[in-house]
């Protein structure tokens, strides 16, 4: 894995956004895999800024988001779809028909997961997947456990994950859905390039183990060790134990 350490979270965001813009320039039809959460908010702000400055063109780009809450309509204010509308889609020239999302309100969630896998395949796979890491080491919503699933699937969210997402649901953990849909470990690891982003001391232990520890289902991010082109973009706090 290639490790990039930056002084501040702002520097991480700027470098990431620049990496995306630089990848789009020679390959306008790049297939991007995108994350939600607090970590990428500054990266999306920077991408909006680059777009407004004429330095990031999304007119031919294709996006697939990692995950979505089950039982939540795309228009629900707590949905990841709405997060993306707010932070990126609403402010750049990405055509609507090039945005791909899991629909948490689909009538048959298993069929919805199969549809998503097929759609990713139909576009030839993901070129550049950007990932956050959960406070429990998850990537996408692949929660630590006895086993991990390869394909896009339904997941039961860990209590810590529901707590971490309470802000999207009026600060009330009880209102955070118990289930979600997520790209699987194989879906993620098949991306041609991966970037894991982490900021803050809260992530430092998991980052150290992601890099130096065993590959284990107890730490889904550790599987990035098996990828040929995985980069870690870290601020000093997240890199504190390296
Ligand atoms: P965070 O979430 O950026 O809000 O810490 C990351 C994740 O759960 O992947």
């Amino acid at each position: 894995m290639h490790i990039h350490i930056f002084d501040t979270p702002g520097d991480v965001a700027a470098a990431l956004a620049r990496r995306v813009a630089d990848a789009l320039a020679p390959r306008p039809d790049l297939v991007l895999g995108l994350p939600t959460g607090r970590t990428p908010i500054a990266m999306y702000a920077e991408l909006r800024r680059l777009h407004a400055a004429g330095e990031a063109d999304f007119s031919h780009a294709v996006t697939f988001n990692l995950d979505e809450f089950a039982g939540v309509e795309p228009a629900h204010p707590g949905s990841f779809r709405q997060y993306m509308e707010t932070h990126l889609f609403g402010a750049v020239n990405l055509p609507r028909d090039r945005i791909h999302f899991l629909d948490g309100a689909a009538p048959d969630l298993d069929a919805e997961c199969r549809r998503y896998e097929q759609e990713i395949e139909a576009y030839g796979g993901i070129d550049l997947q950007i990932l956050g890491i959960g406070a429990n080491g998850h990537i996408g919503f692949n929660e630590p456990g006895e086993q991990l699933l390869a394909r896009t699937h339904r997941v039961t969210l860990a209590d810590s994950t529901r707590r971490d997402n309470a802000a999207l649901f009026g600060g009330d953990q009880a209102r955070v859905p118990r289930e979600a849909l997520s790209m699987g470990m194989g879906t993620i690891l098949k991306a041609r390039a991966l970037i894991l982003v982490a900021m803050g001391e809260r992530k430092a232990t998991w980052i150290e183990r992601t890099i130096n520890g065993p590959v284990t289902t107890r730490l889904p991010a550790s599987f990035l060790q098996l990828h040929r082109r995985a980069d870690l973009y870290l601020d000093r706090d997240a890199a504190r134990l390296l």
Side-chain angles (χ1 to χ4, degrees):
M1 288 190 283
H2 302 282
I3 300 160
H4 311 261
I5 300 170
F6 300 88
D7 282 336
T8 68
D11 293 339
V12 178
L16 266 174
R18 179 56 67 186
R19 169 94 179 254
V20 172
D22 286 352
L24 278 167
R27 275 285 313 278
D29 59 349
L30 196 76
V31 181
L32 280 166
L34 297 176
T36 49
R38 276 153 294 200
T39 306
I41 288 176
M43 170 191 75
Y44 289 131
E46 190 61 20
L47 277 174
R48 297 197 303 274
R49 193 189 68 73
L50 288 176
H51 175 69
E55 294 174 45
D57 176 16
F58 292 88
S59 61
H60 292 84
V62 174
T63 67
F64 284 91
N65 265 78
L66 278 165
D67 43 20
E68 180 60 284
F69 295 107
V72 166
E73 297 281 346
H76 186 286
S79 71
F80 284 157
R81 174 67 197 231
Q82 284 309 306
Y83 168 106
M84 289 303 301
E85 291 294 337
T86 302
H87 293 291
L88 187 71
F89 299 159
V92 298
N93 63 339
L94 179 63
R96 295 273 130 187
D97 62 354
R98 292 179 164 264
I99 295 170
H100 300 275
F101 235 92
L102 283 156
D103 179 358
D108 180 341
L109 293 177
D110 293 318
E112 174 62 6
C113 291
R114 287 194 295 275
R115 177 194 69 79
Y116 207 57
E117 252 337 282
Q118 284 162 6
E119 214 158 59
I120 293 170
E121 285 300 312
Y123 275 94
I126 291 168
D127 293 311
L128 176 60
Q129 174 71 57
I130 301 170
L131 298 164
I133 178 170
N136 63 356
H138 73 203
I139 52 174
F141 273 144
N142 294 279
E143 302 283 32
E146 296 276 310
Q147 54 183 20
L148 294 168
L149 296 179
R151 301 294 193 111
T152 301
H153 61 286
R154 294 169 74 154
V155 292
T156 301
L157 295 175
D159 285 345
S160 63
T161 299
R162 293 180 64 228
R163 191 164 53 241
D164 279 350
N165 282 280
L168 294 171
F169 295 86
D172 183 0
Q173 184 181 333
R175 286 170 52 201
V176 180
R178 292 179 183 279
E179 265 200 287
L181 309 182
S182 177
M183 285 188 196
M185 293 300 294
T187 326
I188 292 170
L189 291 168
K190 274 192 280 184
R192 281 179 268 282
L194 293 173
I195 304 178
L196 183 84
V197 193
M199 303 179 194
E201 197 159 347
R202 202 165 75 102
K203 305 286 173 70
T205 302
W206 290 123
I207 289 300
E208 194 279 328
R209 292 190 197 164
T210 292
I211 295 166
N212 298 320
V215 175
T216 167
T217 61
R218 300 273 167 209
L219 174 49
S222 65
F223 279 76
L224 266 61
Q225 292 179 28
L226 305 180
H227 198 277
R228 274 181 191 281
R229 283 192 60 198
D231 287 285
L232 266 71
Y233 279 46
L234 310 172
D235 73 350
R236 289 219 171 272
D237 288 339
R240 198 173 58 87
L241 301 177
L242 299 181

